[in-house]
Amino acid sequence: AKAYTTAGFYLFPSTSYDIQVQHIMKAMIMGAIPITNRNGYSALPETTADFDMGPTIESASVDAKAWVEKWTEAVVEAASKPAEELAAYRDSMMTYARERFQWKKVANEWAETFRRHIEAGNTSTCGSPTPQVVTRKDPSERPVTGASPPADSDSD
């Protein structure tokens, strides 16, 4: 946590479709301004809101060399901002993050989302019921890991 509080920025130059963003939340709460890929196909834009100073990935296919250049320019631009401007930006971000990422608030949002879906009869996250078809062997026919073969087996 101390590293986040003493860092000016949280640099996350990934081009992946990141969905595990707790590290970004922690950085924001502690005052490290994120500079990520702002990949619209990931959870980053939703998490960082307007506080991410990184370039946006516009499509699913990424020209890595061009993107690294854009990201590097974004880091230099962010680090070149006046200290007073960054301090105000950081204070605003920390206030947002500390409010937005409170466990009680997040848990209540999830509970409300589940409640709405259940009341509407939706059983999938896409908004409409999804039939689940699973074809399985009879469980008695499946081998159990670590179990000995049946006595009448020809496993010799």
Side-chain angles (χ1 to χ4, degrees):
K2 184 176 181 182
Y4 290 127
T5 60
T6 58
F9 301 97
Y10 184 77
L11 307 180
F12 189 66
S14 171
T15 56
S16 69
Y17 307 118
D18 203 356
I19 58 170
Q20 299 292 328
V21 292
Q22 293 85 355
H23 53 102
I24 301 287
M25 293 176 187
K26 187 174 183 178
M28 291 174 66
I29 288 168
M30 302 304 288
I33 299 169
I35 302 178
T36 77
N37 62 26
R38 296 173 54 178
N39 188 330
Y41 300 93
S42 75
L44 289 168
E46 178 184 352
T47 303
T48 60
D50 294 329
F51 296 103
D52 191 337
M53 292 184 158
T56 302
I57 289 180
E58 301 293 340
S59 69
S61 61
V62 177
D63 174 357
K65 184 177 180 180
W67 185 82
V68 167
E69 287 179 20
K70 285 176 69 174
W71 188 81
T72 303
E73 289 170 8
V75 171
V76 171
E77 181 181 333
S80 300
K81 292 189 180 293
E84 301 81 26
E85 182 180 334
L86 285 173
Y89 191 84
R90 183 172 289 108
D91 287 345
S92 179
M93 177 196 68
M94 290 170 63
T95 299
Y96 164 83
R98 289 176 178 170
E99 163 68 22
R100 174 70 184 99
F101 304 134
Q102 286 182 18
W103 170 243
K104 185 175 181 178
K105 180 176 180 155
V106 173
N108 286 336
E109 288 175 2
W110 276 92
E112 181 57 31
T113 298
F114 289 136
R115 192 174 6 270
R116 279 195 322 269
H117 281 279
I118 291 167
E119 289 172 357
N122 298 329
T123 58
S124 77
T125 58
C126 296
S128 60
T130 304
Q132 299 295 317
V133 179
V134 179
T135 305
R136 295 184 179 164
K137 292 182 178 181
D138 179 344
S140 65
E141 295 175 6
R142 281 196 253 156
V144 178
T145 304
S148 302
D152 61 343
S153 170
D154 293 323
S155 62
D156 294 332

